Amino acid sequence: MLRSIIFYGALVVMALAIGFKVYLRHPSLLPPMDFDRWWGDGPRPDDEDTSIRPFVIVFNESMVEDLKSRLRNRRPFTPPLYGAQSQYGMNTKYLDELLTFWSDEYNFTERAKRLNKFPHYKTTIQGLDIHFIHVKPKGKGKKVLPLLMLHGWPSSSKEFDKVIPILTKPKDGYEFVFEVIAADLPGFGFSQGTRKPGLSPLQVGTIMSNLMRRLGHNMYYIQAGDWGSQVATHMTTFIPHEILGFHTNMPVSSRPISYVKYVIGSLFPSLIMDEKYINRIYPIRKLFDYVLRESGYFHLQATKPDTIGVALSDSPAGLAAYTLEKIGVCSNRYQLNTPHGGLENIDRNDLMDTVTIVWANECIVTSMRMYAEAFAHEDVFLMHNIPTHVPTAAINFKHEVVYQPDWILQDKFLNLVRSTTHDFGGHFAAMQTPKALAYDVFESVKEIIRFRLYY
């Protein structure tokens, strides 16, 4: 009798487990997509401007003088606690040093000139002026592959200025080279934001698709991180016929089954991933502590971006402290015991370029709204739960915000053709480790081409 109860009980548990697994793995249906949705002010005009206009970055004198005046007249900061470095957030003594550099040493004219070494353009897509860098490779003899590059918060296409020259230069051992289109997401950098609610990462994907079509590319590769990676992931899902391959330095599967696997993996981690990387996500308590410590900004921006935006739009010191503190942690999360909190892993001029672009374009609020829009619409969650067949390559740097083993990534990316994990680097890979990122893009596209050839 007892044996029968155990047998039938095991069958029930097995049936429930299989049913639960099938339910979690069952993909959502593709929601309808509107590639003509108008994000500009007012109704769509009868005659749309589809021209592609050259653009030059200028940090004008009035903006610079106002910025320097605000920095020089800032209130004294509350000093750090005795014995504390960056454990409570931005070390204000170090911040003073950065702000003095920004005001007195950072050369606005020369930095704008450096940014303008690439061809910049703007074009109006779905009512918004979208800024992008467009660099075509020099020389002949190599196949030219279009590559769309997408950044995240609080960045812009500036993030790619060190990696673009590597990607657009022919390399021995590769039969191809890249034509790079590095775009600013709407509301970021020099791209216009919308005053209409609903511009989620999913909707941004339609804008980027329309941009590439306008440039004459109906099929192309994508490289992306952070929010750019979310945009690109959605694009591989709703327009897989356009995306030849996807390379991401922030690979994430947000399917429900993936979250279940996180828990299952904690019971037998050595069975699902390389033992030397187990500590990146397990024990779960350690991961939870890290997320709890570092995600306050995320929750704030996902719920009330306009409130914190008032302070950050009015104070360059506050803007620098708020944005740079996150850049530092995401560049090396284990350096909170230093005054710089991880910031010295990235060139100081690159850091101030990033903050200057946000300040000059008054885009901190429009960029933060991406967080709120990403969690406010059902179609985004539906898209997360649809796997993609687009061949994908993942690179995981040591201090990336999220780490998922291939066992989880393959829930979303069915054709994960290459996966690389490094013991160095961080979230802003194009600024921090441009050579390693570029090398992996070349290698990954080689693998993707081979995959497409045989499959």
Side-chain angles (χ1 to χ4, degrees), residues 258-277:
S258 298
Y259 296 118
V260 173
K261 282 185 173 182
Y262 260 119
V263 178
I264 295 174
S266 68
L267 302 175
F268 311 101
S270 61
L271 296 180
I272 64 165
M273 59 189 298
D274 192 318
E275 288 192 9
K276 65 180 179 179
Y277 301 125

Side-chain angles (χ1 to χ4, degrees), residues 289-298 325-326 329 333 336:
D289 288 344
Y290 168 71
V291 171
L292 186 65
R293 186 189 79 201
E294 300 298 342
S295 63
Y297 84 102
F298 193 106
E325 183 262 326
K326 298 319 302 177
V329 169
R333 69 180 68 175
L336 295 184

Side-chain angles (χ1 to χ4, degrees), residues 108-145:
F108 291 85
T109 302
E110 287 300 315
R111 294 307 293 181
K113 182 178 178 180
R114 185 180 183 279
L115 292 170
N116 285 318
K117 69 180 180 180
F118 302 117
H120 292 255
Y121 302 91
K122 281 191 176 184
T123 190
T124 305
I125 305 285
Q126 296 173 244
L128 300 178
D129 280 350
I130 301 300
H131 165 257
F132 60 97
I133 298 170
H134 192 177
V135 181
K136 297 182 180 181
K138 295 180 180 179
K140 298 180 180 180
K142 300 279 188 178
K143 186 176 181 180
V144 177
L145 305 179

Side-chain angles (χ1 to χ4, degrees), residues 325-332 399-401 426-428 432:
E325 183 262 326
K326 298 319 302 177
I327 292 177
V329 169
C330 293
S331 299
N332 191 324
H399 299 287
E400 183 52 75
V401 177
H427 184 68
F428 298 90
Q432 187 176 356

